[in-house]
Amino acid sequence: MIPGQKTDYFLSFMDRDEPLTPAGRLFLQPETSQIINCLIGVKNPIDADAFKAEVKNSVLLKHPRFCSLMVKHSSGREYWRRTEVDVDRHVLVFDKPLSDDPSISDEDSVNDYLADLSVSSPLNTDKPLWEIHLLMAHNCLVFRLHHALGDGISLMSMLLSCCRRADDSSQLPTAGGVGTSSTPRRRRSLWTLMKVVWYTLVYVLEFMLRSLWLKDKKTVVSGGAGVELWPRKLATAKFRLDDMKTIKKATTDATINDVLFGVLSCGFSRYLDIRSPKALGEGLKLTGAAMVNLRPQPGLQDISKLMNNVSGTRWGNKFGMMLLPIYYHKGGSNPLEFLKRAKSMIDKKKLSLEAPCSYKLGHFVMSFFGAKVTFCPTQLNYMFLLLHINLDFWFSWCCSLPAFLITEFFAIQPLLSQT
């Protein structure tokens, strides 16, 4: 998108209040309020004034969602209302180190800071629902974005538009090929179509039962009463991409996501071995969920297409959910068996229409009951609140900025890492 260019979407938005989408209203409910904390590390010291100047001139402040307050009308319905943005209230500068203890590394200090933000620092509603924290002593930035603004694909595509290419700093990085598959679509056989129908029926039924009452056996992973108020701990782990590629070659047609989920499965089993006070039965089931992009193009999107209302690649929360089961296996199991099981399960999930059906189901529940139960907002998301309660974990598929292509990010160069 060319800076200063206004699409019909922008112009129509500026003239009136815009109602929140059903997904946006879901993420604003107290029980399911979601704030995305995105950490970006840079190599060189940050110039706060130059950074603020870049933010003022970026596409970020030309986007209506980032320039609007969330207001509630007398009817109880939430709307976006355009307002003036005071960049100094959104870009917060922290000059001092986060910890005075020299034995605590930068990474641990920043992780603890993010963990504290996740439980103790909601976004103020008297300004648009985003902030950027500049951690000057650590050469880090923390983007805090309310999920009502958009999903991970929308927001990461927006951040990508604020970057420049490593080989030509005058050019924007392209979104093509980021998170996409080069495998051409093949014509499906009758047997494959029958499997699509079967897996869809089975997984959608399980999704509905899980949303209502079905839950797994309690384990040390499940937490306890008031778990949402417990102190948080953020831990990071680094994996070499070359190692991941080597592992995926051990199983035919495996993907990096298959490897990641295999690692997660193996990790959960080992954690349960160590932490469980009683012996667990082989094959004990833990169920999590992952959010799936439903746009025609997988991966990161072209920001100009995202802002084009008729392209089918619209801005916002356009995702479905898939349940992802993990089965406990005792220590000593071959680690590659976890990869094979993960691939088998994920291949079946990919064949099903569970994610699109969950999106339609959520849209129906929020749209239909939202208009009927104005004075009882918790009813709007009761089913999906139960889904949160009845799951053991949430899994986020990786959607990262291609750092190897990027040299400049909001006038800071170069980009080192992103979490």
Side-chain angles (χ1 to χ4, degrees):
M1 179 190 231
I2 301 172
Q5 178 182 0
K6 295 187 185 296
T7 64
D8 292 341
Y9 176 78
F10 279 90
L11 294 173
S12 63
F13 189 95
M14 293 171 65
D15 295 335
R16 57 186 173 84
D17 288 351
E18 184 81 4
L20 268 71
T21 62
R25 301 207 318 274
L26 173 68
F27 284 124
L28 283 169
Q29 301 303 319
E31 297 85 356
T32 51
S33 181
Q34 298 282 336
I35 297 174
I36 300 168
N37 295 305
C38 174
L39 172 67
I40 296 177
V42 296
K43 182 177 181 180
N44 296 335
I46 301 171
D47 185 332
D49 293 333
F51 182 86
K52 290 180 181 180
E54 285 294 320
V55 170
K56 289 178 181 178
N57 296 321
S58 71
V59 68
L60 196 74
L61 293 195
K62 295 178 176 64
H63 190 296
R65 288 288 182 268
F66 291 82
C67 303
S68 300
L69 296 172
M70 193 283 293
V71 298
K72 186 174 288 188
H73 284 195
S74 57
S75 62
R77 186 71 179 267
E78 299 92 344
Y79 288 80
W80 298 112
R81 176 171 297 170
R82 196 65 181 261
T83 187
E84 291 294 326
V85 176
D86 181 358
V87 171
D88 289 329
R89 292 193 65 205
H90 289 272
V91 179
L92 309 180
V93 181
F94 299 87
D95 292 307
K96 296 181 179 180
L98 297 173
S99 174
D100 296 327
D101 188 345
S103 64
I104 299 179
S105 66
D106 274 6
E107 182 175 331
D108 289 339
S109 295
V110 174
N111 284 348
D112 290 342
Y113 179 73
L114 287 175
D116 289 340
L117 284 180
S118 68
V119 290
S120 60
S121 300
L123 292 168
N124 291 330
T125 56
D126 62 346
K127 63 181 182 182
L129 299 176
W130 62 275
E131 288 179 350
I132 305 174
H133 296 193
L134 303 184
L135 308 180
M136 309 295 283
H138 303 276
N139 284 354
C140 289
L141 306 85
V142 178
F143 279 76
R144 306 199 69 219
L145 309 157
H146 202 289
H147 219 316
L149 298 175
D151 58 18
I153 293 293
S154 295
L155 297 171
M156 294 302 293
S157 299
M158 168 68 75
L159 293 184
L160 185 68
S161 72
C162 300
C163 301
R164 296 297 179 267
R165 291 186 62 89
D167 55 355
D168 186 353
S169 59
S170 66
Q171 296 295 319
L172 294 172
T174 54
V178 179
T180 64
S181 172
S182 59
T183 304
R185 281 182 173 270
R186 291 178 293 181
R187 193 170 182 178
R188 289 179 170 176
S189 65
L190 177 61
W191 174 241
T192 301
L193 291 176
M194 291 175 64
K195 289 196 290 185
V196 168
V197 173
W198 173 249
Y199 290 142
T200 299
L201 289 173
V202 170
Y203 292 144
V204 170
L205 177 61
E206 182 185 6
F207 184 91
M208 295 179 68
L209 292 176
R210 180 73 56 168
S211 301
L212 296 173
W213 69 80
L214 188 64
K215 61 178 65 176
D216 297 326
K217 182 180 178 181
K218 287 284 186 181
T219 66
V220 293
V221 176
S222 307
V227 66
E228 67 278 5
L229 301 177
W230 291 6
R232 305 291 172 89
K233 179 69 175 179
L234 177 65
T236 52
K238 298 180 178 69
F239 299 96
R240 287 175 52 86
L241 186 59
D242 289 341
D243 292 341
M244 305 289 280
K245 290 179 178 179
T246 300
I247 294 170
K248 85 181 183 71
K249 290 177 183 176
T251 300
T252 305
D253 295 330
T255 67
I256 294 295
N257 276 334
D258 295 335
V259 175
L260 285 172
F261 200 75
V263 170
L264 184 67
S265 303
C266 184
F268 267 122
S269 289
R270 294 190 177 185
Y271 180 83
L272 290 171
D273 270 338
I274 296 169
R275 296 295 301 273
S276 298
K278 297 180 181 179
L280 299 175
E282 186 76 4
L284 175 72
K285 184 178 179 180
L286 303 175
T287 306
M291 297 180 182
V292 181
N293 174 38
L294 296 180
R295 296 174 179 83
Q297 175 188 323
L300 298 179
Q301 309 287 308
D302 186 325
I303 190 67
S304 61
K305 292 182 179 180
L306 271 180
M307 299 314 304
N308 182 355
N309 238 11
V310 297
S311 70
T313 312
R314 66 174 178 82
W315 179 274
N317 286 289
K318 182 72 174 178
F319 63 86
M321 287 185 286
M322 290 193 311
L323 299 182
L324 297 176
I326 283 178
Y327 296 93
Y328 165 76
H329 295 279
K330 294 181 180 179
S333 300
N334 182 355
L336 287 180
E337 291 300 317
F338 289 96
L339 170 58
K340 293 176 182 178
R341 284 188 287 263
K343 174 177 166 45
S344 175
M345 182 272 294
I346 291 175
D347 285 348
K348 294 175 184 177
K349 291 286 182 174
K350 287 178 180 177
L351 272 179
S352 80
L353 300 176
E354 180 183 5
C357 289
S358 69
Y359 174 79
K360 292 294 185 183
L361 178 63
H363 190 279
F364 169 78
V365 170
M366 290 297 299
S367 299
F368 183 77
F369 291 104
K372 299 289 184 180
V373 203
T374 304
F375 298 104
C376 192
T378 55
Q379 294 297 321
L380 301 177
N381 59 348
Y382 181 65
M383 188 167 92
F384 290 95
L385 174 59
L386 281 176
L387 181 62
H388 277 263
I389 293 172
N390 293 343
L391 294 176
D392 291 306
F393 65 94
W394 286 83
F395 186 76
S396 177
W397 302 109
C398 293
C399 174
S400 301
L401 295 176
F404 56 90
L405 290 176
I406 298 168
T407 184
E408 184 173 326
F409 180 74
F410 279 117
I412 305 172
Q413 34 181 322
L415 180 68
L416 273 186
S417 63
Q418 174 255 330
T419 303

